Amino acid sequence: MAEKRSVAFHTLGCKLNFSETSAISRLMEKEGFVKKNFDEAADVYVINTCSVTDNADKECRQLVRRIQRRAPESMVVITGCYAQLKPKEIAQIPGVDLVLGAAEKFNIAQHLEALTKSDQAKICSCDIEEVSGFNASWSVNDRTRTFLKVQDGCDYSCSFCTIPMARGKSRSDSIQNVLENAKKIASEGVKEIVLTGVNLGDFGKGPDGNKKHEESFYELVRVLDEVERIERYRISSIEPNLLTNEIIEFVAGSKKFMPHFHIPLQSGSNTLLALMRRRYKRELYADRVQRIKTLMPHASIGVDVIVGFPGETEKEFQETFDFLHELEVSYLHVFTYSERPNTHALEIKPVVPVQVRNERNKTLRNLSYMKQQYFQQQHSGQKRKVLFEGHAKNGMMEGYTDNYIRVATPYREEWVNQLVEWSL
């Protein structure tokens, strides 16, 4: 009997990438591959890349160099967003054998069958316009929380973003399939599912990107709420213009959907929002936050914001700062703008100096810290349920309350993957 080949994975980027790596890993294990840790010797190494982080190219090269030193005879496969956007660039990296674009990443086992080690990397990617079909995927992270991908791609054309070029048009799984996958995940003992996608609120477009009238994100959350043995759901990130009153009201009345929203803002200046080609104004964003807080005063709200976008003067940055300062939100994810090839933002002037971008990032990170501290203090003395995770760090275990306050306590095995009543 032939010896089984081994495979190791490394993921860069977002939760969606992590869920897809897990799905690819399960597919390869079905094909007879044995999974190894990335720092062990393996026959095949798969790096799932991201186009959002600024140094995708550098990270990729460093990882390939590490593999070359450890296992020079192994096959190196690069996939993910960066592989779709810059396949030729990646193929030039010494040691890379196969570059798989968006349409091919789930056919990795078939590609490997026909591949032999050579000096020239093989590229399998197609025009992103031609990408269709939906591959469901989910990650299992120590059996407590799982990221379940229900939507992929995006039909928006924000001027700073390469994701539509990397992932293609907006398309979704069917409600029926998501339901089956949620039941499968529940049968593995997982207590919490985080719903993920590129533009989650746009759920309801079939695998070919055509709208299905009877399927929407609201319908999806309603159906999932009934799945037995899943105790918690979180909505990973949802555009403010797609976060409807009915979704907010449903979460407010649900025992399973957590009072925790992550809503991208990107800027608190209407001038910049227009330059960014966002589909809302700050007034709509403020209205969504107020709506959530009226129905769920204890809800946690996270915000994505970009600093240093072209055209952002001191006045516009101050507008963003003041807007966020006033808003009842709990934490910020602050991104420093960085130039992306083939995006409309490259044509916008004036360009903000990098040093100024970094200073603004620091200012908003400080604001985020204050917001987080304030949010936690508001709940001091309250009792809330915490779902504890399995991995121990220096003898400690961590978990999150329903409204996303992190709790750490000395490790106790009987608390792993359990909901524990906790005094904050």
Side-chain angles (χ1 to χ4, degrees):
M1 192 175 129
E3 194 182 331
K4 285 190 170 182
R5 293 171 81 189
S6 55
V7 61
F9 296 89
H10 189 87
T11 308
L12 302 167
C14 64
K15 288 162 182 166
L16 200 58
N17 268 7
F18 279 92
S19 71
E20 289 183 343
T21 299
S22 287
I24 295 166
S25 163
R26 282 192 291 275
L27 287 171
M28 291 186 77
E29 285 175 73
K30 263 190 199 149
E31 294 286 334
F33 282 82
V34 178
K35 192 176 169 187
K36 294 273 193 82
N37 286 330
F38 195 75
D39 50 11
E40 294 180 306
D43 299 315
V44 179
Y45 290 89
V46 179
I47 302 171
N48 193 0
T49 62
C50 167
S51 69
V52 175
T53 50
D54 201 17
N55 49 357
D57 177 55
K58 203 168 83 184
E59 285 180 305
C60 205
R61 283 174 193 277
Q62 284 170 346
L63 289 164
V64 175
R65 269 203 300 273
R66 262 169 52 194
I67 295 165
Q68 291 277 206
R69 284 198 297 270
R70 187 187 311 128
E73 294 307 305
S74 63
M75 291 288 182
V76 177
V77 183
I78 315 287
T79 187
C81 292
Y82 187 51
Q84 177 66 38
L85 289 173
K86 300 277 184 75
K88 291 192 175 76
E89 205 171 284
I90 292 173
Q92 300 300 317
I93 299 174
V96 171
D97 298 290
L98 180 61
V99 183
L100 294 179
E104 295 300 326
K105 66 181 115 169
F106 293 97
N107 301 327
I108 191 165
Q110 292 88 306
H111 286 293
L112 282 168
E113 272 176 32
L115 194 66
T116 51
K117 191 91 184 152
S118 72
D119 293 336
Q120 192 60 50
K122 186 179 175 199
I123 298 175
C124 299
S125 86
C126 65
D127 275 355
I128 200 67
E129 283 77 23
E130 292 165 25
V131 173
S132 68
F134 184 87
N135 291 87
S137 53
W138 63 88
S139 64
V140 177
N141 169 24
D142 76 20
R143 311 243 333 257
T144 302
R145 180 186 302 120
T146 286
F147 297 100
L148 173 60
K149 171 185 152 190
V150 300
Q151 186 276 339
D152 200 349
C154 187
D155 294 340
Y156 288 8
S157 52
C158 300
S159 58
F160 52 81
C161 187
T162 57
I163 287 174
M165 293 179 254
R167 284 189 169 270
K169 62 192 169 202
S170 175
R171 51 205 193 280
S172 321
D173 210 342
S174 68
I175 287 180
Q176 193 51 46
N177 273 353
V178 177
L179 199 55
E180 292 305 315
N181 289 334
K183 287 174 183 169
K184 225 178 273 178
I185 290 165
S187 73
E188 291 172 12
V190 173
K191 295 271 168 65
E192 181 177 306
I193 291 178
V194 184
L195 300 175
T196 64
V198 173
N199 188 352
L200 201 51
D202 202 31
F203 177 91
K205 291 178 175 170
D208 50 5
N210 294 327
K211 185 79 185 147
K212 298 179 178 173
H213 293 294
E214 71 284 1
E215 301 212 341
S216 66
F217 189 64
Y218 172 64
E219 288 304 324
L220 178 69
V221 298
R222 275 186 41 184
V223 169
L224 287 175
D225 209 43
E226 303 299 320
V227 175
E228 287 175 18
R229 289 188 292 174
I230 296 294
E231 307 264 357
R232 289 180 161 189
Y233 291 99
R234 292 188 195 274
I235 298 166
S236 66
S237 178
I238 186 165
E239 292 283 310
N241 50 307
L242 297 173
L243 179 56
T244 60
N245 282 345
E246 57 181 3
I247 294 170
I248 295 169
E249 283 157 20
F250 184 82
V251 171
S254 164
K255 285 194 170 64
K256 293 191 176 187
F257 274 84
M258 297 294 100
H260 172 209
F261 293 85
H262 194 92
I263 317 167
L265 167 69
Q266 310 310 11
S267 174
S269 153
N270 281 339
T271 311
L272 276 187
L273 287 173
L275 285 175
M276 290 175 166
R277 296 181 171 171
R278 302 293 284 160
R279 298 191 176 200
Y280 52 86
K281 290 187 169 161
R282 57 186 259 160
E283 289 77 12
L284 173 96
Y285 195 95
D287 176 74
R288 301 295 76 201
V289 170
Q290 190 189 355
R291 184 92 190 149
I292 291 166
K293 284 302 209 179
T294 302
L295 293 175
M296 296 165 268
H298 54 292
S300 169
I301 302 174
V303 184
D304 286 343
V305 59
I306 295 171
V307 292
F309 187 79
E312 184 184 60
T313 62
E314 202 53 53
K315 174 180 165 283
E316 270 103 27
F317 176 67
Q318 194 61 45
E319 266 187 77
T320 296
F321 182 90
D322 294 343
F323 182 66
L324 286 166
H325 194 276
E326 294 295 312
L327 268 188
E328 232 185 316
V329 294
S330 322
Y331 61 94
L332 315 175
H333 281 175
V334 187
F335 299 90
T336 304
Y337 171 77
S338 62
E339 285 74 5
R340 292 282 173 272
N342 305 317
T343 54
H344 174 69
L346 295 175
E347 297 163 25
I348 302 170
K349 300 286 181 280
V351 171
V352 179
V354 171
Q355 187 191 340
V356 176
R357 299 181 206 182
N358 294 337
E359 282 164 12
R360 290 176 184 174
N361 182 302
K362 213 169 173 180
T363 303
L364 285 191
R365 284 216 316 269
N366 287 341
L367 178 63
S368 177
Y369 179 76
M370 284 156 56
K371 291 264 183 200
Q372 217 163 0
Q373 296 301 102
Y374 177 68
F375 181 70
Q376 289 176 10
Q377 282 159 11
Q378 280 179 307
H379 296 86
S380 181
Q382 285 188 13
K383 274 191 159 65
R384 303 203 84 86
K385 283 203 165 99
V386 174
L387 178 60
F388 281 105
E389 293 164 13
H391 43 256
K393 267 194 258 181
N394 306 323
M396 302 291 279
M397 71 195 306
E398 288 183 350
Y400 287 89
T401 62
D402 56 343
N403 59 346
Y404 211 57
I405 293 171
R406 192 171 70 164
V407 170
T409 187
Y411 185 85
R412 286 173 63 167
E413 200 169 330
E414 67 272 23
W415 281 357
V416 172
N417 204 19
Q418 296 302 315
L419 282 162
V420 178
E421 191 82 33
W422 196 263
S423 288
L424 292 167

